[in-house]
Amino acid sequence: MVSNFDRIYEEIQREARRVSEELGLEPETLASLTLEIVNLEDRHRISHIHAINKKVRALIESAAVAQVREGSDRD
């Protein structure tokens, strides 16, 4: 039996692979970022997290910067 988490995670990975080239990010980076955002939003739903949008934006920017650094390390 496959849990809901497993099905959702598989869908996130599939979509990450689908859009990764278009966005210029690694599929693992996109999947990880998505899970971090979902986790943050879930915690916010349970107990209010101050400046949630700013924190989500920071996660996205951090992932983008890390990807750029990794790309420049390869060159």
Side-chain angles (χ1 to χ4, degrees):
M1 176 180 247
V2 177
S3 71
N4 281 340
F5 175 83
D6 291 334
R7 281 193 291 268
I8 292 167
Y9 186 65
E10 287 174 20
E11 181 66 27
I12 288 169
Q13 287 180 316
R14 192 170 27 257
E15 279 299 303
R17 284 190 302 272
R18 188 181 71 76
V19 300
S20 64
E21 192 172 316
E22 175 184 322
L23 297 175
L25 293 170
E26 294 294 323
E28 298 81 25
T29 301
L30 286 171
S32 177
L33 174 61
T34 302
L35 290 174
E36 286 182 58
I37 292 170
V38 167
N39 183 46
L40 186 62
E41 290 286 352
D42 190 50
R43 288 187 5 236
H44 176 64
R45 182 183 56 83
I46 294 167
S47 63
H48 179 74
I49 295 176
H50 179 71
I52 185 74
N53 291 337
K54 200 179 270 189
K55 290 181 188 225
V56 169
R57 198 171 299 117
L59 284 173
I60 294 167
E61 289 171 357
S62 176
V65 167
Q67 187 71 27
V68 168
R69 284 188 184 140
E70 286 178 19
S72 66
D73 288 346
R74 290 183 207 143
D75 295 339

